[in-house]
Coordinates of all heavy atoms in Angstrom, one line a residue:
G8 N 5.5 6.8 8.5 CA 5.6 5.3 8.2 C 4.3 4.6 8.7 O 3.8 4.9 9.8
V9 N 3.8 3.7 7.9 CA 2.7 2.8 8.3 C 3.3 1.4 8.5 O 3.7 0.8 7.5 CB 1.6 2.9 7.3 CG1 0.4 1.9 7.6 CG2 1.0 4.3 7.1
A10 N 3.3 0.9 9.7 CA 3.8 -0.4 10.0 C 2.7 -1.4 10.1 O 1.7 -1.2 10.7 CB 4.6 -0.3 11.3
A11 N 3.0 -2.5 9.4 CA 2.1 -3.7 9.4 C 2.7 -4.8 8.7 O 3.5 -4.6 7.7 CB 0.7 -3.4 8.8
H12 N 2.4 -6.0 9.1 CA 2.8 -7.2 8.4 C 4.4 -7.3 8.3 O 4.9 -7.7 7.3 CB 2.2 -7.4 7.1 CG 0.7 -7.5 7.1 ND1 0.0 -8.4 7.9 CD2 -0.3 -6.6 6.6 CE1 -1.3 -8.2 7.7 NE2 -1.5 -7.1 7.0
G13 N 5.1 -6.8 9.3 CA 6.5 -6.9 9.4 C 7.2 -5.9 8.5 O 8.5 -6.1 8.3
R14 N 6.6 -4.9 7.9 CA 7.2 -4.0 7.1 C 6.7 -2.6 7.4 O 5.6 -2.4 8.0 CB 7.2 -4.3 5.6 CG 5.8 -4.2 5.0 CD 5.8 -4.7 3.5 NE 4.5 -4.5 2.9 CZ 4.3 -3.8 1.9 NH1 5.3 -3.2 1.2 NH2 3.1 -3.6 1.4
V15 N 7.4 -1.6 6.9 CA 6.9 -0.2 7.0 C 6.9 0.4 5.6 O 7.8 0.3 4.8 CB 7.9 0.6 7.9 CG1 7.4 2.1 7.9 CG2 8.0 0.1 9.3
V16 N 5.8 1.0 5.3 CA 5.6 1.8 4.0 C 5.7 3.3 4.4 O 5.0 3.7 5.3 CB 4.3 1.5 3.3 CG1 4.2 2.4 2.0 CG2 4.2 0.0 3.0
W17 N 6.6 4.0 3.8 CA 6.9 5.4 4.2 C 6.2 6.3 3.2 O 6.3 6.1 2.0 CB 8.4 5.7 4.2 CG 9.0 5.1 5.4 CD1 9.7 3.9 5.4 CD2 9.1 5.6 6.7 NE1 10.2 3.6 6.7 CE2 9.8 4.6 7.5 CE3 8.6 6.7 7.3 CZ2 10.0 4.8 8.9 CZ3 8.8 6.9 8.7 CH2 9.5 6.0 9.4
F18 N 5.6 7.4 3.7 CA 4.9 8.4 2.8 C 5.5 9.8 3.2 O 6.0 10.0 4.3 CB 3.4 8.4 3.1 CG 2.7 7.1 2.7 CD1 2.6 6.1 3.6 CD2 2.3 6.9 1.4 CE1 2.0 4.9 3.2 CE2 1.7 5.8 1.0 CZ 1.5 4.7 1.9
A19 N 5.3 10.7 2.3 CA 5.7 12.1 2.5 C 4.4 12.9 2.8 O 3.6 13.0 1.9 CB 6.5 12.6 1.3
W20 N 4.3 13.4 4.0 CA 3.1 14.2 4.4 C 3.5 15.6 4.4 O 4.5 16.0 5.1 CB 2.6 13.7 5.7 CG 1.3 14.4 6.2 CD1 0.1 14.1 5.8 CD2 1.3 15.4 7.2 NE1 -0.8 15.0 6.4 CE2 -0.1 15.7 7.3 CE3 2.2 16.0 8.0 CZ2 -0.5 16.7 8.2 CZ3 1.8 17.0 8.8 CH2 0.4 17.3 9.0
V21 N 2.7 16.5 3.7 CA 3.0 17.9 3.6 C 2.1 18.7 4.6 O 0.9 18.6 4.5 CB 2.8 18.4 2.2 CG1 3.2 19.8 2.0 CG2 3.7 17.5 1.2
S22 N 2.8 19.5 5.4 CA 2.0 20.4 6.3 C 2.0 21.8 5.7 O 3.1 22.4 5.5 CB 2.7 20.4 7.7 OG 2.0 21.3 8.5
D23 N 0.9 22.3 5.3 CA 0.7 23.5 4.7 C -0.6 24.1 5.1 O -1.2 23.6 6.0 CB 0.8 23.3 3.2 CG 1.2 24.5 2.4 OD1 1.3 25.6 3.0 OD2 1.5 24.4 1.2
D24 N -1.1 25.1 4.4 CA -2.4 25.7 4.7 C -3.5 24.5 4.6 O -4.5 24.5 5.3 CB -2.8 26.8 3.7 CG -1.9 28.0 3.9 OD1 -1.4 28.2 5.0 OD2 -1.8 28.8 3.0
Y25 N -3.2 23.6 3.7 CA -4.1 22.5 3.5 C -3.2 21.2 3.5 O -2.4 21.1 2.6 CB -4.8 22.6 2.2 CG -5.7 21.4 1.8 CD1 -6.8 21.1 2.5 CD2 -5.3 20.7 0.7 CE1 -7.6 20.1 2.1 CE2 -6.1 19.6 0.3 CZ -7.2 19.3 1.0 OH -8.0 18.2 0.6
D26 N -3.2 20.4 4.6 CA -2.3 19.3 4.7 C -2.7 18.2 3.7 O -3.8 18.0 3.4 CB -2.4 18.7 6.1 CG -2.0 19.7 7.2 OD1 -1.2 20.6 6.9 OD2 -2.4 19.5 8.3
Y27 N -1.6 17.5 3.2 CA -1.9 16.5 2.2 C -0.7 15.5 2.1 O 0.4 15.8 2.6 CB -2.2 17.1 0.8 CG -1.1 18.0 0.3 CD1 -0.1 17.5 -0.6 CD2 -1.0 19.3 0.7 CE1 0.9 18.3 -1.0 CE2 0.0 20.2 0.2 CZ 1.0 19.7 -0.6 OH 2.0 20.5 -1.1
V28 N -0.9 14.4 1.4 CA 0.2 13.4 1.1 C 0.7 13.9 -0.2 O 0.0 14.1 -1.2 CB -0.4 12.0 1.1 CG1 0.7 11.0 0.6 CG2 -0.8 11.6 2.5
L29 N 2.1 14.0 -0.3 CA 2.7 14.4 -1.5 C 2.5 13.3 -2.6 O 2.5 12.1 -2.3 CB 4.2 14.5 -1.2 CG 5.1 15.0 -2.4 CD1 4.8 16.4 -2.7 CD2 6.6 14.9 -2.0
S30 N 2.2 13.8 -3.8 CA 1.9 12.9 -4.9 C 2.7 13.3 -6.1 O 3.1 14.4 -6.2 CB 0.4 12.8 -5.2 OG -0.1 14.1 -5.6
K31 N 2.8 12.3 -7.0 CA 3.5 12.6 -8.3 C 2.8 11.7 -9.3 O 2.5 10.5 -9.1 CB 5.0 12.1 -8.2 CG 5.8 12.4 -9.4 CD 7.2 12.0 -9.2 CE 8.0 12.4 -10.5 NZ 9.4 12.0 -10.3
N32 N 2.3 12.4 -10.4 CA 1.6 11.7 -11.4 C 0.3 11.0 -10.9 O 0.0 9.9 -11.3 CB 2.4 10.7 -12.2 CG 3.6 11.4 -12.9 OD1 3.5 12.5 -13.3 ND2 4.8 10.7 -12.9
G33 N -0.3 11.6 -9.9 CA -1.6 11.1 -9.4 C -1.4 10.0 -8.4 O -2.4 9.4 -8.0
R34 N -0.2 9.6 -8.0 CA 0.1 8.5 -7.1 C 0.8 9.1 -5.8 O 1.6 10.0 -5.9 CB 1.0 7.5 -7.7 CG 0.5 6.8 -9.0 CD -0.6 5.8 -8.8 NE -0.1 4.8 -7.9 CZ -1.0 4.1 -7.1 NH1 -2.3 4.3 -7.2 NH2 -0.5 3.1 -6.3
P35 N 0.5 8.5 -4.7 CA 1.2 9.0 -3.5 C 2.7 8.7 -3.5 O 3.1 7.6 -4.0 CB 0.6 8.3 -2.3 CG -0.2 7.2 -2.9 CD -0.4 7.5 -4.4
V36 N 3.5 9.6 -3.1 CA 5.0 9.4 -3.0 C 5.2 8.5 -1.8 O 4.8 8.8 -0.7 CB 5.7 10.7 -2.9 CG1 7.2 10.4 -2.6 CG2 5.6 11.5 -4.2
S37 N 5.7 7.3 -2.0 CA 6.0 6.3 -1.0 C 7.2 5.5 -1.3 O 7.7 5.5 -2.4 CB 4.7 5.4 -0.8 OG 4.6 4.6 -2.0
A38 N 7.7 4.8 -0.2 CA 8.8 4.0 -0.4 C 8.9 2.9 0.7 O 8.2 3.1 1.8 CB 10.1 4.8 -0.3
G39 N 9.7 1.9 0.5 CA 9.8 0.8 1.5 C 10.9 1.1 2.5 O 11.1 0.3 3.4
S40 N 11.7 2.2 2.3 CA 12.8 2.5 3.2 C 12.9 4.0 3.4 O 12.4 4.8 2.5 CB 14.1 1.9 2.8 OG 14.6 2.7 1.6
K41 N 13.5 4.4 4.4 CA 13.7 5.9 4.7 C 14.6 6.5 3.6 O 14.3 7.6 3.1 CB 14.3 6.1 6.0 CG 13.4 5.8 7.2 CD 14.2 6.0 8.5 CE 13.2 5.7 9.7 NZ 13.9 6.0 11.0
E42 N 15.6 5.8 3.2 CA 16.5 6.3 2.2 C 15.8 6.5 0.8 O 16.0 7.5 0.1 CB 17.7 5.3 2.0 CG 18.6 5.2 3.2 CD 18.0 4.3 4.3 OE1 17.2 3.4 4.0 OE2 18.4 4.4 5.5
D43 N 15.0 5.5 0.5 CA 14.2 5.6 -0.8 C 13.2 6.7 -0.7 O 13.0 7.4 -1.7 CB 13.6 4.2 -1.1 CG 14.5 3.2 -1.5 OD1 15.7 3.5 -1.8 OD2 14.1 2.0 -1.6
L44 N 12.6 6.9 0.4 CA 11.7 8.1 0.5 C 12.4 9.4 0.4 O 11.9 10.3 -0.3 CB 10.9 8.0 1.9 CG 9.8 9.1 2.0 CD1 8.7 8.8 0.9 CD2 9.2 9.1 3.4
D45 N 13.6 9.5 1.0 CA 14.4 10.7 0.8 C 14.6 11.0 -0.7 O 14.5 12.1 -1.2 CB 15.8 10.6 1.5 CG 15.8 11.1 2.9 OD1 15.0 12.1 3.2 OD2 16.6 10.6 3.7
Y46 N 15.0 9.9 -1.4 CA 15.2 10.0 -2.9 C 14.0 10.4 -3.6 O 14.0 11.3 -4.5 CB 15.8 8.7 -3.4 CG 15.9 8.6 -4.9 CD1 17.0 9.2 -5.5 CD2 14.9 8.0 -5.7 CE1 17.1 9.2 -6.9 CE2 15.0 8.0 -7.1 CZ 16.1 8.6 -7.7 OH 16.2 8.6 -9.1
E47 N 12.8 9.8 -3.3 CA 11.6 10.1 -4.0 C 11.1 11.5 -3.8 O 10.7 12.2 -4.7 CB 10.5 9.1 -3.5 CG 10.7 7.7 -4.0 CD 10.6 7.5 -5.4 OE1 10.0 8.3 -6.2 OE2 11.3 6.5 -5.9
V48 N 11.3 12.0 -2.5 CA 10.9 13.4 -2.2 C 11.9 14.4 -2.9 O 11.4 15.4 -3.4 CB 10.9 13.6 -0.7 CG1 10.7 15.1 -0.4 CG2 9.7 12.8 -0.1

Side-chain angles (χ1 to χ4, degrees):
V9 177
H12 303 301
R14 68 184 186 123
V15 177
V16 179
W17 290 97
F18 296 91
W20 182 78
V21 181
S22 178
D23 204 350
D24 293 337
Y25 175 69
D26 299 335
Y27 59 94
V28 172
L29 186 64
S30 63
K31 184 176 182 180
N32 300 325
R34 303 282 306 151
V36 172
S37 65
S40 72
K41 292 178 176 184
E42 297 78 20
D43 288 346
L44 186 64
D45 269 329
Y46 174 79
E47 293 295 332
V48 171

